[in-house]
Amino acid sequence: MKKVFTDRKDQIATSLRVAKSISDLVGLLNQMQVWESEEHKAREFPVEPIKERALKYYLYAKKDRYTTFTIPKRTGGIREIKAPDRFLKLAQRYLNIALQCLYTPPEYVTGFVAGRSVIDNARFHTQKKYVYNIDLKDYFPSITFGRVYAVLTTLNHFGLNKEVARVIANIASDNGVLPQGAPTSPTLSNFVCIRLDRRLKWLAVQNKLSYSRYADDITFSSNENFLSEEFRKELIAIIESEGFEVKFEKERLQRYNVREEGKLIREQQRVTGLVVNEKVNVNRAYIKNLRAAINNWDQNGYESASEQLAYYYSREKGSLRSDSVPPLENYIAGKLEYLGMVRGKEDPVYRVMKLQFDELCELQEFAEQDFIEILELWETEGVKKAIDRFYNRKNIIIQGEE
């Protein structure tokens, strides 16, 4: 959340709680736009007022509010994404910020919370002998208009006016459920899960376990084998009583340094895609593939490495669309940034690969003609002029160019 809003967090929350009509809600959203535009007054920041009449139309319009498309999952199947149109996305963006001002989930809820990530989620479960994961089925589609409305009007965290809550639930829903792709869906899903999280946290406390949830991904861990049939039944009963279903095909128990039937079991334990056996880390394949991409560029050139990326990227992401493949430098930069987040920017593996990547980017931007011009400059005007040309080439306007 931007500073312009965090500085006014209490003011925004109070305005939302005392709002009694759609007019009050629209007034708040437009005021938030004004604050943001004033913060960016040094540069152009167009303000498109949210009109009450237009918002009312979206309360009842059932068509053309979203563009629906699907993306393949790496594990098979497809995921449906609904992108709101320009006006609805604008309203939902400011509405989402206002909702976030009302309530911040506890630390063990790590998904869709500013300043928290999959890394924070994984840290709850390092150096544990038993790590148990279970997923919620159809997470967003299982959260209905009625559940959102009930949470906003009945829980003490919110206590919104019923008419305002109805407008919010309607604006944030499509066909009666939260659409995956709307800015408001992640925040509202965490609101709906407040009681689920409390009950699962209490279950963890009773059994001396660590607990965390990242969106639909639920994890428990311990140094004792806690996964009895009784525990599973109680866990599933809580989840189902809170209006969710378990995706049993994603259920797994991961064991490390555990001896069973005379055998030492040392499985790789993963939480939200990260290895947690000893510390939070990426898996070996991640580093191997990243190093291979950088070395491929270094040894075989940019074009060849880009062609190989296109081949493997489409299979990694489950997409055959050529236009979905990012530029090679963007792909590597994203992978490196994630590695730095997980292992730290002082990690020697990260630093070596980052240095090699930066040098390749520098060479890629520095064309052969640039070298020729610098050598000629060195011969005709001396080394100092050549050095200046080298370090300032990006700022020099070549004669004849505008």
Side-chain angles (χ1 to χ4, degrees):
M1 189 186 299
K2 292 183 177 179
K3 188 175 185 298
V4 64
F5 299 125
T6 56
D7 288 347
R8 297 177 171 88
K9 185 175 181 179
D10 292 341
Q11 182 180 350
I12 294 171
T14 299
S15 296
L16 190 53
R17 287 193 175 100
V18 301
K20 292 181 170 58
S21 66
I22 188 173
S23 297
D24 294 338
L25 181 62
V26 170
L28 172 61
L29 301 184
N30 282 325
Q31 180 61 68
M32 292 170 66
Q33 280 206 85
V34 171
W35 288 332
E36 189 172 27
S37 67
E38 290 174 348
E39 185 188 44
H40 295 82
K41 60 185 177 183
R43 65 178 189 272
E44 184 180 356
F45 187 90
V47 175
E48 179 183 352
I50 298 170
K51 297 180 180 179
E52 181 179 339
R53 182 175 62 182
L55 198 62
K56 284 182 177 178
Y57 167 80
Y58 279 81
L59 293 179
Y60 306 104
K62 302 301 179 185
K63 296 181 180 179
D64 303 325
R65 301 200 305 175
Y66 293 86
T67 299
T68 303
F69 59 94
T70 59
I71 59 174
K73 300 178 182 178
R74 282 190 297 173
T75 54
I78 59 173
R79 187 188 311 279
E80 184 178 81
I81 304 296
K82 292 190 174 186
D85 70 18
R86 186 167 173 270
F87 174 84
L88 186 57
K89 185 176 182 179
L90 176 71
Q92 288 177 340
R93 175 178 175 263
Y94 287 104
L95 178 58
N96 185 56
I97 295 169
L99 290 169
Q100 290 177 346
C101 292
L102 291 175
Y103 173 73
T104 301
E107 62 176 4
Y108 50 82
V109 178
T110 56
F112 314 134
V113 181
R116 302 178 194 175
S117 67
V118 291
I119 301 170
D120 300 295
N121 189 68
R123 286 195 181 111
F124 281 95
H125 309 287
T126 57
Q127 300 183 19
K128 300 292 176 64
K129 292 184 177 181
Y130 298 90
V131 176
Y132 174 65
N133 299 93
I134 195 165
D135 282 18
L136 302 178
K137 184 178 180 181
D138 298 329
Y139 180 60
F140 287 112
S142 65
I143 300 176
T144 63
F145 166 93
R147 297 178 70 182
V148 173
Y149 175 80
V151 164
L152 294 178
T153 55
T154 59
L155 290 192
N156 292 333
H157 299 293
F158 313 111
L160 299 188
N161 172 273
K162 291 184 178 180
E163 176 60 21
V164 172
R166 183 186 69 82
V167 172
I168 292 174
N170 204 326
I171 289 298
S173 301
D174 183 58
N175 292 325
V177 301
L178 291 185
Q180 184 164 353
T184 43
S185 291
T187 297
L188 287 172
S189 72
N190 276 341
F191 288 2
V192 170
C193 286
I194 286 176
R195 195 167 69 171
L196 171 69
D197 288 319
R198 284 177 179 172
R199 295 179 67 184
L200 293 184
K201 176 61 176 178
W202 178 239
L203 178 65
V205 170
Q206 287 180 309
N207 290 274
K208 299 180 180 180
L209 315 176
S210 294
Y211 164 73
S212 70
R213 180 180 63 83
Y214 189 96
D216 59 350
D217 195 324
I218 293 170
T219 306
F220 294 91
S221 63
S222 175
N223 284 320
E224 303 295 331
N225 189 357
F226 59 91
L227 192 59
S228 63
E229 191 58 33
E230 181 181 356
F231 176 87
R232 284 188 74 254
K233 285 181 179 179
E234 187 173 358
L235 170 61
I236 294 169
I238 291 173
I239 291 172
E240 291 180 347
S241 67
E242 292 298 329
F244 294 99
E245 292 183 47
V246 175
K247 188 186 294 184
F248 287 104
E249 61 268 28
K250 297 293 288 289
E251 181 183 15
R252 63 196 185 279
L253 177 67
Q254 303 164 97
R255 299 160 296 174
Y256 184 66
N257 279 346
V258 172
R259 189 170 294 278
E260 293 183 3
E261 298 179 355
K263 296 181 179 179
L264 181 63
I265 300 173
R266 306 190 75 185
E267 299 171 333
Q268 186 180 82
Q269 299 168 314
R270 291 198 195 185
V271 176
T272 45
L274 293 168
V275 178
V276 295
N277 294 65
E278 299 294 342
K279 63 180 182 179
V280 177
N281 201 355
V282 297
N283 59 50
R284 291 179 181 176
Y286 187 97
I287 294 176
K288 178 182 177 182
N289 293 338
L290 178 55
R291 183 180 285 118
I294 296 174
N295 288 338
N296 189 21
W297 181 358
D298 189 17
Q299 296 169 13
N300 301 314
Y302 182 86
E303 296 301 328
S304 175
S306 294
E307 289 176 5
Q308 288 203 34
L309 170 64
Y311 177 81
Y312 288 108
Y313 185 87
S314 61
R315 284 150 184 79
E316 176 187 345
K317 299 298 182 182
S319 173
L320 298 178
R321 288 174 49 195
S322 59
D323 60 353
S324 68
V325 181
L328 177 65
E329 60 271 30
N330 292 358
Y331 173 81
I332 294 177
K335 292 281 188 179
L336 272 172
E337 181 63 24
Y338 186 70
L339 179 65
M341 285 174 55
V342 174
R343 297 180 63 139
K345 297 296 177 69
E346 298 303 315
D347 177 73
V349 173
Y350 165 80
R351 295 184 69 176
V352 168
M353 288 197 285
K354 181 67 164 62
L355 179 61
Q356 186 180 5
F357 172 67
D358 288 345
E359 290 175 348
L360 287 169
C361 288
E362 189 78 9
L363 290 172
Q364 178 66 19
E365 294 176 359
F366 198 51
E368 181 179 353
Q369 184 60 32
D370 292 321
F371 281 112
I372 294 173
E373 291 177 1
I374 287 174
L375 290 174
E376 291 176 348
L377 195 63
W378 191 339
E379 291 179 355
T380 59
E381 299 190 38
V383 66
K384 185 178 185 304
K385 290 282 187 181
I387 291 173
D388 288 342
R389 174 67 176 84
F390 176 83
Y391 284 109
N392 294 285
R393 64 191 180 281
K394 291 183 180 179
N395 300 320
I396 291 176
I397 301 176
I398 300 174
Q399 186 175 3
E401 289 187 357
E402 296 294 339

